[in-house]
Amino acid sequence: VAGLLGISYIGQDSKDIPHFLGETYGKFARRLDLSFNQLRSLAGLKMFTELEELVVDNNLLGNDLQLPRLPKLHTLTLNKNQISFEKNQLSLLGNEACPNQLVSLDKDDDDYQRYRYFVLYKLPQLKFLDSRKVTKKELMEAQARGAFMKVVKPKLEAVSYSENRPLPYTPLPQGSRDARNHKGVFAKCRYIYYGKHSEGNRFIRNDQL
């Protein structure tokens, strides 16, 4: 069943992902549900270049599972398969989620280490991450500060201002922005002057002291 963004191919007893699914829907499908089949491989996913969510519950996928490169994938569900994770290994090398120079030249070792801390915070049972063994010290660091290692970049919106359009901010109070309609403004000041020339002393005569 095809929707605008999601494809469901459920309970068809398929051992492989049908080629026609990729040819027909691979360029626009955002979500793909392949639950309740007999899949042993996900090689047919290579045509789903826009995929963001993949559900392959209740299949026959095992420890030899290899996931094709899916640059936009952020959610993967593998419930009730035959994955035992006896070695507790996870490798994400070559994916955008794994920040190293295989993905982008502007990434460095610090970016990669932050990624490891975040993944180990989420999956503390891992013994190997990518091609490197997880150390006890690394796991302790992940539990202590791994939750804060996910980097989120703010979305910047370009704003242009013309000469006739006022700026959205001014340090002046509302009442004093228009020179033709000037009003006095009362406000608190963080500084207090106690000298002999203060406003209070200007109106006190010597015979009143």
Short mmCIF file of all heavy atoms in Angstrom, two decimals, residues 135-145:
data_model
loop_
_atom_site.label_atom_id
_atom_site.label_comp_id
_atom_site.label_asym_id
_atom_site.label_seq_id
_atom_site.Cartn_x
_atom_site.Cartn_y
_atom_site.Cartn_z
N THR A 135 36.33 0.96 25.67
CA THR A 135 37.09 0.84 26.91
C THR A 135 36.21 1.21 28.11
O THR A 135 35.18 1.88 27.97
CB THR A 135 38.31 1.76 26.89
OG1 THR A 135 37.87 3.13 26.84
CG2 THR A 135 39.18 1.48 25.67
N LYS A 136 36.63 0.77 29.28
CA LYS A 136 35.88 1.08 30.51
C LYS A 136 35.85 2.58 30.76
O LYS A 136 34.84 3.14 31.17
CB LYS A 136 36.51 0.35 31.70
CG LYS A 136 36.32 -1.16 31.68
CD LYS A 136 36.91 -1.78 32.93
CE LYS A 136 36.69 -3.29 32.94
NZ LYS A 136 37.27 -3.93 34.15
N LYS A 137 36.99 3.24 30.53
CA LYS A 137 37.05 4.69 30.72
C LYS A 137 36.11 5.41 29.77
O LYS A 137 35.42 6.36 30.16
CB LYS A 137 38.49 5.17 30.51
CG LYS A 137 38.67 6.66 30.71
CD LYS A 137 40.11 7.07 30.51
CE LYS A 137 40.28 8.58 30.71
NZ LYS A 137 41.69 9.00 30.49
N GLU A 138 36.07 4.95 28.54
CA GLU A 138 35.20 5.56 27.54
C GLU A 138 33.73 5.38 27.92
O GLU A 138 32.91 6.29 27.78
CB GLU A 138 35.48 4.92 26.19
CG GLU A 138 34.88 5.63 24.99
CD GLU A 138 35.32 5.03 23.69
OE1 GLU A 138 35.50 3.79 23.63
OE2 GLU A 138 35.48 5.79 22.71
N LEU A 139 33.40 4.20 28.43
CA LEU A 139 32.02 3.93 28.84
C LEU A 139 31.62 4.79 30.03
O LEU A 139 30.50 5.29 30.10
CB LEU A 139 31.87 2.44 29.18
CG LEU A 139 30.45 1.93 29.37
CD1 LEU A 139 29.60 2.18 28.12
CD2 LEU A 139 30.44 0.44 29.71
N MET A 140 32.55 5.02 30.97
CA MET A 140 32.27 5.89 32.12
C MET A 140 32.03 7.32 31.66
O MET A 140 31.13 8.01 32.16
CB MET A 140 33.42 5.81 33.11
CG MET A 140 33.53 4.48 33.83
SD MET A 140 35.00 4.38 34.90
CE MET A 140 34.65 5.70 36.07
N GLU A 141 32.86 7.79 30.73
CA GLU A 141 32.67 9.14 30.20
C GLU A 141 31.33 9.26 29.48
O GLU A 141 30.65 10.28 29.59
CB GLU A 141 33.81 9.47 29.23
CG GLU A 141 35.13 9.77 29.89
CD GLU A 141 35.12 11.09 30.63
OE1 GLU A 141 34.49 12.04 30.12
OE2 GLU A 141 35.72 11.18 31.70
N ALA A 142 30.96 8.21 28.76
CA ALA A 142 29.69 8.24 28.03
C ALA A 142 28.51 8.34 28.98
O ALA A 142 27.55 9.07 28.72
CB ALA A 142 29.57 6.98 27.16
N GLN A 143 28.57 7.61 30.08
CA GLN A 143 27.47 7.66 31.04
C GLN A 143 27.42 9.01 31.76
O GLN A 143 26.36 9.48 32.14
CB GLN A 143 27.62 6.52 32.05
CG GLN A 143 27.45 5.13 31.45
CD GLN A 143 26.14 4.99 30.70
OE1 GLN A 143 25.06 5.20 31.26
NE2 GLN A 143 26.21 4.65 29.41
N ALA A 144 28.58 9.62 31.95
CA ALA A 144 28.64 10.90 32.68
C ALA A 144 28.20 12.08 31.83
O ALA A 144 27.49 12.97 32.31
CB ALA A 144 30.06 11.12 33.19
N ARG A 145 28.61 12.10 30.56
CA ARG A 145 28.29 13.29 29.75
C ARG A 145 27.89 12.98 28.32
O ARG A 145 27.78 13.88 27.50
CB ARG A 145 29.48 14.26 29.75
CG ARG A 145 30.80 13.66 29.30
CD ARG A 145 31.97 14.55 29.67
NE ARG A 145 33.24 14.06 29.19
CZ ARG A 145 33.83 14.49 28.09
NH1 ARG A 145 33.25 15.41 27.34
NH2 ARG A 145 35.01 14.01 27.72
#
